[in-house]
């Protein structure tokens, strides 16, 4: 899909040394899941190793197993130590006076050691940091070999699925000896008195002159400047916003004796934003809520391996729900996520760490924190600070330093989780006039951020709402961010006078797509208290918005607080998509989360439409559940709607009454956000009609499905090189069979491959990816339907035929660039 990507190729007048060339180094790596010191050596025999392209995640290819040390929290998938090797050519002469060469890894999970031609060039423990090595002293003209040892064997080290390997892109950059340093341009774009003010700072390696050209998105030059520090003013800038994400490009040219030796491009954007203690969030003079979601980095069946199409699909589905903000929880994201947020108009909270000194799992980043935090945090801010989409930095999520209890360092995973969710007593909070070690550490981290960027506020996800939380007490947190604790929001103005407020994390409702726990007006809390286990043989949660964990709430409950409290700037719901790992409230065989508004396969759960009805102006009428029950069953039918005054429900043509959304508690099945009816099931059809001023706005009919008849395939999302195909089990009239669990095999013909399959079930033990068996055969990818549906992800030009034992097959033909 990608070949050579040059910011600039050879320039006129440059004969021997080329200007900057940035080349993606993803193709043709060799991989082995084994460990030996000799694997770093130049002439090590790697001829039998597996050929693959990175981004790659070896854990997603494994089996779910209760004994895997990652535990169910980590997705019950394997870890281990793996090696990657790549042979590559260098045509120029590397030397301090000749060309310089840099190798950049966007992310390797974790503990990576990089060797070039047998020599160690560096070690990086944090699996989410981007890092670059100057490999000029180690390379030569001709063939070179890079070897990367990735060690994810010390587990558990994460509270969610991390993935294993070189799971983001790798880049090889060649420069002139005089060049812009790594992340060496800081384009600080602000709006000052209606004008765009761009302060540009350039850091050079070597001595040269600098000229900057600012261009709008049509390539028109709108300003120029010279020197290492300069300012460009744009009189009427096109502002960056969620609806119109206008960006600009700074082209930095470095010259030596009049000749251009480097060109470096930076995307930037002007926007005027603030968080107000009384009125919440403002962007370009508009006051609105941050309708955000938290996201982990995995792509379901594709694992942690970055796939731009999967990422774009994620963001597209979230944006269609009305999401305008993403929190990269709880670590630096892939650079591509930020690029997409820039161009799609999604606001970002960029987060650094899930823990500081105090660990949450046995082998997590806490063991590296003292030595590495300064480097990792600086690198995050340096890498990301030019993105117009980022409007705040988070220096940590629910770090145990919120409290002063010292035993945290010796806790087991279970104990740490309990402490996380339980809160602490008064004695562990900051005292008046005290600036504790924890508060000093908070100040120190904030100071690191401000060293590299003063244009954005700093927040942290805090699950201790008291103002005596050591983080708050430090004074270094610009935006008070609560995780949960919506009941405490009323105290915010008095507890934090003059500080803006957001929910850095909210809700944590628990849902399985397609499963409905009735009566729907009962709220199921699972577990009832944080210290109690929760079991249910179904290992499912409820797709009505009526189930959540003890520390959390229903979606409607928190949204109601956000919507009606002017000083709440917005929220980041936990989570947009389900993710692998953290299967609260269950343990193994549950291995992925229940928190998402969209399941792991990418199918929206019903509550997705509640937000769509509140957050967008798109006409919404979403009636659920299905209409396949036992005759005589009492069924709660819910409906989310907007742009209408009322909805009427009909069962087999008979009206069940007209209902309106209401904040009064008179009808237990109706709230300010949905209407509901308790009706008796009778096979046939159920119909909802929404009306405004007596006129029909929308209509939805659900029919009782007959016997499963055939498999219907349809394209869920087509990206540039990956296609997502939905398989549904339907009756002969095309009605979805909501209970179908048929095993579906996907027969692929074409020049690409099947990358994975999924169905959104949190307990499916089927492998996500099929990989060749020892004898080289590739098993047929398969997946059971889950509440009637599953998904297959593929590449190439070809066709997929979906077959099962008893259903008529489905076929889909497609063309996707490889
Ligand atoms: C929060 C935490 C998240 C996730 C969530 C589940 O406390 O920040 O990472 O664990 O709880 O409810």
């Amino acid at each position: 899909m990608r070949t050579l990507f040059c910011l600039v190729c050879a320039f006129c007048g440059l004969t021997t040394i080329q200007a900057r060339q940035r080349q993606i180094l993803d193709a043709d790596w060799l991989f082995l899941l084994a460990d030996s010191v000799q694997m770093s050596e130049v002439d090590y025999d790697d001829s039998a190793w597996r050929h693959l392209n990175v981004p790659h995640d070896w854990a997603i290819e494994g089996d779910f197993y209760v004994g895997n040390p990652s535990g169910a929290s980590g997705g019950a998938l394997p870890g281990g130590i793996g090696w990657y090797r790549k042979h590559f050519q260098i045509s120029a002469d590397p030397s301090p006076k000749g060309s310089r060469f840099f190798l950049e890894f966007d992310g390797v999970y974790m503990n990576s050691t990089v060797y070039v031609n047998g020599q160690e060039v560096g070690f990086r423990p944090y699996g989410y940091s981007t890092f670059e090595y100057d490999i000029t002293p180690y390379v030569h003209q001709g063939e070179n070999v890079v070897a990367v040892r990735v060690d994810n064997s010390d587990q558990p080290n994460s509270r969610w699925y991390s993935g294993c390997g070189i799971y983001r892109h790798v880049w090889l950059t060649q420069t002139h000896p005089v060049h812009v340093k790594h992340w060496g341009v800081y384009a600080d774009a602000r709006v000052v008195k209606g004008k765009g003010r761009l302060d540009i700072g350039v850091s050079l390696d070597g001595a040269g002159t600098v000229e900057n050209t600012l261009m709008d998105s049509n390539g028109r030059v709108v300003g120029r400047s010279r020197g290492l520090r300069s300012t460009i003013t744009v009189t009427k800038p096109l502002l960056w916003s969620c609806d119109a994400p206008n960006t600009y490009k700074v082209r930095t040219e470095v010259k030596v004796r009049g000749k251009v030796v480097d060109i470096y491009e930076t995307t930037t954007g002007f926007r005027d934003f603030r968080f107000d203690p009384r009125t919440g969030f403002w962007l370009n003079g508009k006051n609105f809520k941050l309708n955000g979601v938290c996201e982990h980095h995995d792509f379901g069946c594709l694992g942690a391996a970055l796939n731009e199409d999967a990422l774009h699909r994620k963001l597209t589905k979230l944006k269609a729900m009305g999401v305008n903000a993403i929190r990269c929880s709880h670590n630096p994201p892939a650079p591509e996520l930020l690029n997409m947020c820039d161009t799609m108009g999604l606001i970002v909270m960029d987060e650094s760490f899930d823990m500081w000194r105090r660990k949450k799992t046995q082998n997590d980043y806490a063991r590296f924190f003292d030595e590495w935090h300064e480097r990792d945090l600086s690198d995050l801010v340096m890498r990301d600070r030019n993105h117009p989409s980022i409007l705040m930095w988070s220096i940590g999520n629910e770090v145990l330093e919120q409290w002063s209890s010292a035993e945290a360092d010796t806790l087991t995973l279970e104990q740490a989780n309990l402490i996380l969710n339980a809160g602490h007593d008064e004695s562990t909070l900051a005292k008046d006039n005290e600036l504790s070690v924890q508060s000093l550490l908070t100040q120190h981290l904030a100071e690191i951020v401000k060293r590299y960027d003063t244009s954005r506020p700093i927040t942290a996800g805090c699950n201790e709402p008291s103002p005596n939380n050591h983080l708050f007490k430090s004074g270094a947190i610009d935006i008070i961010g609560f995780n949960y604790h919506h009941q405490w929001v009323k105290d915010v103005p008095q507890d934090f006078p003059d500080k803006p407020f957001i929910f850095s994390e909210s809700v944590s409702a628990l849902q399985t797509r397609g499963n409905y726990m009735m009566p729907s007006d009962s709220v199921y809390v699972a577990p009832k208290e944080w210290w109690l286990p929760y079991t249910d043989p179904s290992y499912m949660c409820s797709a009505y918005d009526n189930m959540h964990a003890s520390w959390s709430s229903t979606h409607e409950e928190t949204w109601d607080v956000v919507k009606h409290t002017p000083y709440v700037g917005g929220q980041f719901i936990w989570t947009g998509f389900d993710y692998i790992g953290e299967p609260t409230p269950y343990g193994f065989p549950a291995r992925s989360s229940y928190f998402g508004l969209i399941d792991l396969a990418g199918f929206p759960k019903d509550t997705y439409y509640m937000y769509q009805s509140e957050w967008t102006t798109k006409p919404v009428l979403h009636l659920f559940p299905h209409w396949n029950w036992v005759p005589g069953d009492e069924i709660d039918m819910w409906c989310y709607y907007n742009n209408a005054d009322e909805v009427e429900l009909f069962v087999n043509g008979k009206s069940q009454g007209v209902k309106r959304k209401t904040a009064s508690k008179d009808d237990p099945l109706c709230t300010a956000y949905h209407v509901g009816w308790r009706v008796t099931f009778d096979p046939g059809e159920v119909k909802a009609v929404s009306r405004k001023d007596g006129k029909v706005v929308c209509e939805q009919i659900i029919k009782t499905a007959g016997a499963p008849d055939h498999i219907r395939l349809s394209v869920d999302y087509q990206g540039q090189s990956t296609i997502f195909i939905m398989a549904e089990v339907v009756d002969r009239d095309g009605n979805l069979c909501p209970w179908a669990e048929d095993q579906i095999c996907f027969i692929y013909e074409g020049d690409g491959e099947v990358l994975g399959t999924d169905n959104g079930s949190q307990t499916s033990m089927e492998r996500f990816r099929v990989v060749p068996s020892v004898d080289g055969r590739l098993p047929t990818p398969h997946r059971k339907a889950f509440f009637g549906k599953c998904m297959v992800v593929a590449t190439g030009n070809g066709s997929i035929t979906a077959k099962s034992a008893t259903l008529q097959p489905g076929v889909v033909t497609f063309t996707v660039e490889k």
Side-chain angles (χ1 to χ4, degrees):
M1 168 179 129
R2 282 159 178 271
T3 47
L4 193 70
F5 171 68
C6 301
L7 281 182
V8 64
C9 292
F11 250 94
C12 325
L14 281 175
T15 44
T16 47
I17 306 169
Q18 282 194 321
R20 177 179 301 261
Q21 284 189 337
R22 193 166 186 243
Q23 183 188 344
I24 196 152
L25 209 68
D26 282 356
D28 290 329
W29 285 75
L30 298 158
F31 172 72
L32 193 72
L33 190 55
D35 187 29
S36 154
V37 279
Q38 287 152 353
M39 289 172 181
S40 65
E41 290 170 8
V42 179
D43 43 16
Y44 182 83
D45 180 8
D46 54 20
S47 55
W49 287 24
R50 177 173 155 203
H51 286 256
L52 50 75
N53 297 340
V54 299
H56 171 245
D57 171 9
W58 79 69
I60 203 69
E61 299 170 352
D63 283 319
F64 301 103
Y65 168 52
V66 65
N68 277 334
S70 62
S73 285
L77 285 165
I81 300 177
W83 280 78
Y84 295 83
R85 285 169 63 89
K86 160 101 188 146
H87 299 259
F88 64 103
Q89 296 290 326
I90 281 187
S91 53
D93 176 27
S95 73
K97 290 199 172 143
S99 292
R100 304 285 294 271
F101 290 88
F102 300 90
L103 194 56
E104 183 175 27
F105 293 84
D106 283 346
V108 182
Y109 202 94
M110 62 181 287
N111 291 321
S112 64
T113 315
V114 176
Y115 303 84
V116 174
N117 294 328
Q119 299 196 53
E120 182 177 331
V121 299
F123 167 71
R124 192 69 179 226
Y126 196 27
Y128 299 106
S129 279
T130 293
F131 53 94
E132 183 186 82
Y133 298 119
D134 180 354
I135 57 169
T136 316
Y138 310 99
V139 288
H140 45 250
Q141 221 163 359
E143 177 163 310
N144 295 267
V145 58
V146 54
V148 184
R149 179 179 190 266
V150 185
D151 183 352
N152 193 6
S153 59
D154 289 331
Q155 301 220 15
N157 58 49
S158 178
R159 297 187 301 111
W160 58 88
Y161 174 72
S162 64
C164 295
I166 304 180
Y167 71 102
R168 293 180 184 160
H169 292 307
V170 183
W171 305 89
L172 178 66
T173 303
Q174 178 182 346
T175 69
H176 184 278
V178 179
H179 58 268
V180 173
K181 281 187 180 166
H182 194 218
W183 304 319
V185 171
Y186 177 29
D188 179 0
R190 306 191 188 204
V191 178
V192 182
K193 295 191 181 133
K195 291 187 181 162
R197 182 192 159 108
L198 183 69
D199 291 314
I200 310 170
V202 180
S203 304
L204 282 192
D205 211 346
T209 58
V210 167
E211 288 173 22
N212 298 303
T213 310
L214 182 67
M215 288 164 291
D216 67 14
S217 55
N218 296 318
R220 263 195 308 263
V221 174
V222 296
R224 294 182 196 276
S225 70
R226 283 166 183 273
L228 293 177
R229 296 197 164 276
S230 61
T231 299
I232 295 176
T233 305
V234 182
T235 322
K236 279 194 185 151
L238 285 171
L239 300 184
W240 184 93
S241 69
C242 298
D243 305 326
N246 294 302
T247 57
Y248 287 78
K249 196 150 273 172
V250 185
R251 202 172 71 162
T252 304
E253 285 187 1
V254 183
K255 288 185 181 168
V256 173
R257 287 186 292 278
K259 281 186 181 153
V260 178
V261 296
D262 194 10
I263 295 186
Y264 188 97
E265 291 193 340
T266 307
T267 301
T268 184
F270 298 100
R271 64 273 184 277
D272 181 16
F273 71 97
R274 70 192 164 93
F275 291 84
D276 185 275
R278 273 156 287 279
T279 52
F281 176 68
W282 293 79
L283 180 64
N284 305 331
K286 260 177 75 183
N287 183 209
F288 60 93
K289 301 285 181 191
L290 291 177
N291 292 330
V293 289
C294 302
E295 285 297 297
H296 275 317
H297 66 309
D298 76 62
F299 301 106
C301 65
L302 307 183
L306 175 74
N307 175 309
E308 276 93 334
D309 291 329
L311 180 61
H312 195 258
R313 172 179 181 248
K314 251 193 183 191
L315 298 179
T316 305
K317 289 190 180 231
L318 292 170
K319 187 129 182 154
M321 182 178 108
V323 166
N324 61 18
I326 305 282
R327 174 187 185 212
C328 311
S329 38
H330 304 297
N331 47 261
E336 289 72 17
L337 180 135
L338 301 172
N339 296 339
M340 285 185 205
C341 289
D342 286 348
T343 54
M344 293 173 77
L346 288 160
I347 291 162
V348 176
M349 178 202 291
D350 202 357
E351 189 156 80
S352 50
F353 306 118
D354 190 45
M355 71 295 289
W356 294 349
R357 288 198 179 113
R358 295 192 169 164
K359 67 186 173 200
K360 293 180 179 173
T361 60
Q362 195 56 38
N363 297 296
D364 67 25
Y365 179 76
R367 65 190 156 132
F368 302 111
F369 183 84
D370 276 338
E371 192 183 342
W372 284 95
H373 71 270
E374 184 136 2
R375 182 70 198 270
D376 285 319
L377 186 54
S378 309
D379 283 0
L380 168 71
V381 181
M382 297 254 285
R383 188 194 70 168
D384 293 349
R385 60 190 172 174
N386 296 320
H387 286 280
S389 55
I390 299 176
L391 297 191
M392 66 195 113
W393 304 106
S394 163
I395 53 174
N397 173 63
E398 295 187 355
V399 294
L400 291 165
E401 282 80 355
Q402 293 171 100
W403 305 277
S404 56
S405 35
E407 78 281 9
D409 290 343
T410 55
L411 298 179
T412 63
L413 169 62
E414 289 73 24
Q415 289 166 329
N417 268 335
L418 293 187
I419 287 214
L420 255 181
N421 294 317
H424 298 246
D425 63 45
E426 285 281 310
S427 66
T428 64
L429 294 171
K431 313 284 172 296
D432 287 343
N433 305 321
E434 178 197 20
L435 203 52
S436 65
V437 177
Q438 291 87 333
S439 298
L440 287 168
L441 179 55
T442 313
Q443 288 183 349
H444 166 65
L445 295 172
E447 186 275 319
I448 295 172
V449 173
K450 301 268 175 190
R451 202 183 292 162
Y452 300 100
D453 180 53
T454 53
S455 72
R456 299 169 177 92
I458 291 174
T459 189
C462 287
N463 56 335
E464 172 54 74
S466 161
N468 290 340
N469 174 332
H470 290 262
L471 269 57
F472 295 146
K473 205 72 180 167
S474 73
I477 304 290
D478 303 316
I479 304 174
I480 301 301
F482 278 11
N483 284 10
Y484 311 98
H485 296 89
H486 62 282
Q487 304 86 340
W488 285 60
V489 165
K490 57 180 177 0
D491 302 332
V492 163
Q494 97 210 17
D495 284 349
F496 304 97
D498 302 323
K499 285 270 184 185
F501 174 87
I502 56 166
F503 279 108
S504 34
E505 190 175 313
S506 59
V507 183
S508 272
L510 300 165
Q511 304 185 323
T512 299
R513 173 184 59 79
N515 187 55
Y516 301 92
M517 284 163 57
M518 291 179 233
S520 64
D521 51 338
S522 299
V523 173
Y524 305 87
V525 179
K528 276 221 161 29
E529 300 292 348
W530 56 264
W531 61 86
L532 295 174
Y534 177 80
T535 51
D536 183 280
S538 73
Y539 282 89
M540 289 195 212
C541 295
S542 178
Y544 292 117
D545 183 13
N546 65 344
M547 188 164 184
H548 61 81
S550 60
W551 56 91
S552 55
S553 77
T554 61
H555 287 279
E556 292 188 8
E557 213 176 328
T558 298
W559 170 232
D560 198 58
V561 174
V562 176
K563 184 173 177 176
H564 297 297
T565 316
Y567 54 83
V568 177
Q571 64 171 330
F572 290 87
I573 297 164
W574 192 265
T575 48
F577 274 69
D578 276 340
Y579 51 94
I580 309 174
E582 205 177 25
T584 309
Y586 299 109
F588 192 85
R591 46 59 172 172
S592 54
S593 82
Y594 296 77
F595 297 117
L597 287 154
I598 301 175
D599 77 14
L600 201 63
F603 300 124
K605 303 178 189 174
D606 297 293
T607 313
Y608 177 96
Y609 300 97
M610 188 279 280
Y611 287 108
Q612 199 174 52
S613 73
E614 286 287 302
W615 290 356
T616 77
T617 50
K618 255 178 259 188
V620 174
L621 177 68
H622 180 74
L623 176 69
F624 61 102
H626 55 79
W627 200 238
N628 269 65
W629 305 94
V630 177
D633 276 359
E634 293 263 274
I635 303 301
D636 290 349
M637 295 304 297
W638 282 32
C639 197
Y640 295 126
Y641 69 94
N642 63 4
N643 303 350
D645 312 315
E646 58 183 35
V647 181
E648 185 166 8
L649 187 81
F650 300 87
V651 171
N652 296 328
K654 193 161 169 254
S655 175
Q656 306 296 309
V658 174
K659 297 216 179 181
R660 289 172 174 238
K661 293 193 270 195
T662 166
S664 87
K665 304 262 185 299
D666 300 347
D667 181 345
L669 286 172
C670 292
T671 68
Y673 304 101
H674 74 265
V675 286
W677 296 259
R678 184 155 296 154
V679 293
T680 307
F681 174 70
D682 186 21
E685 68 167 45
V686 61
K687 176 164 94 170
V689 180
S690 65
R691 293 190 202 95
K692 187 169 178 66
D693 302 326
K695 288 205 190 87
V696 173
V697 178
C698 293
E699 209 179 274
Q700 191 190 345
I701 295 176
I702 307 175
K703 292 191 173 163
T704 306
D709 177 77
H710 61 276
I711 303 167
R712 178 169 62 207
L713 296 184
S714 54
V715 176
D716 174 80
Y717 178 86
Q718 170 142 14
Q720 299 200 327
S721 59
T722 316
I723 189 162
F724 295 76
I725 297 163
M726 168 166 75
E728 293 168 291
V729 177
V730 295
D731 70 4
R732 57 179 225 220
D733 298 323
N735 297 304
L736 180 77
C737 300
W739 298 104
E741 291 191 339
D742 300 70
Q743 177 68 261
I744 299 179
C745 290
F746 297 101
I747 293 127
Y748 181 94
E749 278 178 80
D751 58 4
E753 60 178 327
V754 168
L755 295 181
T757 61
D758 193 9
N759 59 15
S761 159
Q762 286 89 353
T763 51
S764 167
M765 293 287 112
E766 291 177 88
R767 266 195 188 178
F768 280 134
R769 270 195 79 114
V770 283
V771 280
S773 52
V774 219
D775 58 7
R777 280 186 314 115
L778 195 64
T780 306
H782 56 84
R783 180 70 45 174
K784 274 191 168 174
F786 183 60
F787 291 114
K789 294 182 186 183
C790 60
M791 182 76 68
V792 56
V793 188
T795 62
N797 300 305
S799 69
I800 283 183
T801 307
K803 292 187 176 171
S804 83
T806 56
L807 305 169
Q808 299 294 319
V811 187
V812 73
T813 317
F814 48 86
T815 310
V816 221
E817 194 194 320
K818 261 213 276 184

